[in-house]
Amino acid sequence: MVGAAKRTKAEAVLVLGIESSCDETAVALVRNGCEILSSSVSSQVLIHAQFGGVVPEVAAREHLRAINQLLGETLRQAQTKIADIDAIAVTQGPGLIGALLVGIAYAKGLAIGLEKPLIPVDHVHAHVHGALLGLGSDFDLDALWPCLSLVVSGGHTNLYYMTGPTRFNLIASSVDDACGECFDKVAKMLGLPYPGGVHIERLARNGDHRKVLMPKLVERKSQLFFSYSGLKTHLANLIRSFSEAPSAQDLADICASFQEEALRHIVRKLVVARQLFPATKSLLVAGGVAANQRLRDLIREEIDIPAYFPPQSFCADNAAMIASYGYHLWREHGPMNYRQIDWDAYSRYKFEEVEAVNG
Ligand code: KG4
Ligand code: ZN
């Protein structure tokens, strides 16, 4: 079945992707899983920033307001008629339940009205396909597998062992906060705007990461899991101990030191995973935190296999990754009747099980 990943030029399958799991409404048209005809994102970040985080009810209402217009824009940009699409892929979960239901209900309506197949997509798995979006139609996907794939976002820090574009085995995840969530919480404590990851990275560029001592998780080398609550608590205690606001240079040093440990924690785990899975040929890195240049540099320095990252604008939530993954699911499952499958929205509380790893 891995051979199904090969993209042939003779066929042209056009998938419409719809994403509404959190605070971005997104619609995209992708041909053959890799060629983005158009991709539109309507971000709610400014709306939620005033509350310091995403308010689920507000998110759902904003999706409802944006989604129809966004589809129109996406079709116009691609100069495509809705009747020309072959299938509709939509995020099924994990995510905020009210937000997910908007995208799913909209996609269902389209699928029924147009008599097109509907493909339910796991949002976290789809992020991985974001790392493949910049590779171009001539790239031979079969050369990638088996691979390790890492999703570092606001909700997840998941490491997978993959044997094909739809074959995900979860081998590690965070036992507490996700990496991006930790960036956001530390940024909030430092008085930086939401979402804070990008602001921490910006300030860290002028800082020295050796200046502020950070705790390293006591790790058994063979164990694969991520944890960020200790680092977060350390920063909370440190910030509480200040008698006055830190200088600009101190703030930059704190950001650089925090960022370095938060990212090196990931890289140390990737090194362990490489030892446990020596057959891996490549590493795919995706999710909002994959936009971080220091993470990209550390991975390229420390990991001995080719690493692929999404184009900067496809690290965060988007619908091109949903359409791309939907294409591979559809190809792999062939004539499966998508009308008969489970169409419930998966909330963030349905967790994947981490598989046992030798070591
Ligand atoms: O993938 P994403 O857009 O949404 C989720 O599915 O969670 O990821 C958002 C997360 C936020 O926590 C944000 O602070 C973080 O990605 N992020 C970053 C950077 N850009 C976004 N973290 C560190 N450095 C960045 N440059
Ligand atoms: Zn996401």
Side-chain angles (χ1 to χ4, degrees):
M1 287 299 268
V2 172
K6 234 185 181 120
R7 302 181 270 212
T8 53
K9 288 210 169 136
E11 56 168 341
V13 177
L14 188 58
V15 178
L16 175 73
I18 296 176
E19 155 64 32
S20 72
S21 65
C22 190
D23 57 348
E24 260 107 21
T25 323
V27 179
L29 277 166
V30 177
R31 190 183 284 143
N32 292 346
C34 60
E35 199 186 328
I36 303 168
L37 302 194
S38 64
S39 170
S40 318
V41 180
S42 167
S43 176
Q44 306 172 7
V45 160
L46 292 178
I47 295 167
H48 298 291
Q50 57 188 308
F51 305 108
V54 179
V55 183
E57 177 67 21
V58 174
R61 287 170 192 272
E62 289 300 321
H63 287 309
L64 203 52
R65 201 199 300 270
I67 200 161
N68 199 44
Q69 196 184 340
L70 218 51
L71 173 66
E73 263 172 44
T74 309
L75 290 168
R76 260 193 308 281
Q77 271 169 25
Q79 299 184 331
T80 301
K81 291 195 211 69
I82 188 87
D84 295 338
I85 63 171
D86 296 296
I88 299 158
V90 63
T91 300
Q92 186 175 28
L96 304 171
I97 202 82
L100 287 167
L101 286 172
V102 173
I104 290 175
Y106 189 80
K108 272 185 188 172
L110 278 180
I112 292 167
L114 297 166
E115 297 190 355
K116 305 282 181 187
L118 192 56
I119 309 163
V121 166
D122 180 298
H123 175 91
V124 185
H125 293 180
H127 263 298
V128 170
H129 283 264
L132 306 176
L133 285 173
L135 295 179
S137 52
D138 290 332
F139 188 88
D140 180 11
L141 283 190
D142 288 347
L144 293 172
W145 330 113
C147 78
L148 291 169
S149 66
L150 174 74
V151 179
V152 249
S153 68
H156 295 86
T157 314
N158 283 4
L159 182 61
Y160 299 93
Y161 178 71
M162 293 178 70
T163 52
T166 66
R167 307 294 167 93
F168 289 83
N169 305 287
L170 184 66
I171 56 170
S173 65
S174 178
V175 292
D176 39 61
D177 288 1
C179 180
E181 183 181 4
C182 185
F183 267 89
D184 294 342
K185 286 178 176 170
V186 169
K188 193 173 180 177
M189 293 182 224
L190 291 169
L192 301 172
Y194 171 87
V198 69
H199 300 285
I200 289 190
E201 179 179 18
R202 186 173 45 78
L203 290 173
R205 280 192 209 118
N206 299 321
D208 180 347
H209 65 75
R210 288 156 303 196
K211 274 280 166 69
V212 186
L213 196 64
M214 291 287 147
K216 254 194 202 173
L217 191 72
V218 180
E219 303 171 50
R220 275 204 20 228
K221 270 217 152 162
S222 58
Q223 281 184 347
L224 274 182
F225 67 89
F226 302 100
S227 171
Y228 280 99
S229 65
L231 189 57
K232 179 187 67 182
T233 305
H234 178 78
L235 265 293
N237 290 335
L238 179 74
I239 293 162
R240 218 174 288 132
S241 72
F242 295 155
S243 52
E244 55 191 66
S247 68
Q249 188 55 54
D250 285 346
L251 187 60
D253 291 340
I254 293 167
C255 287
S257 305
F258 160 73
Q259 172 179 269
E260 191 72 7
E261 178 48 31
L263 302 180
R264 279 198 181 270
H265 174 51
I266 289 175
V267 175
R268 286 196 295 271
K269 292 300 180 188
L270 291 177
V271 170
V272 174
R274 271 291 290 137
Q275 288 160 0
L276 292 172
F277 297 91
T280 48
K281 292 189 198 151
S282 61
L283 169 66
L284 312 179
V285 186
V289 187
N292 187 293
Q293 191 54 47
R294 182 66 185 149
L295 177 64
R296 293 181 179 216
D297 293 343
L298 283 173
I299 285 176
R300 293 215 162 101
E301 280 166 27
E302 306 284 339
I303 305 298
D304 61 347
I305 43 176
Y308 299 91
F309 299 86
Q312 281 287 338
S313 53
F314 292 99
C315 290
D317 290 348
N318 64 84
M321 67 186 198
I322 305 296
S324 172
Y325 182 39
Y327 164 83
H328 289 289
L329 283 169
W330 193 33
R331 287 205 65 187
E332 196 123 329
H333 294 295
M336 183 172 174
N337 185 348
Y338 280 97
R339 289 205 180 140
Q340 287 173 354
I341 61 178
D342 171 16
W343 258 115
D344 212 350
Y346 294 157
S347 83
R348 61 165 60 234
Y349 302 107
K350 182 181 159 80
F351 293 112
E352 279 178 289
E353 294 287 321
V354 176
E355 297 199 357
V357 189
N358 292 330

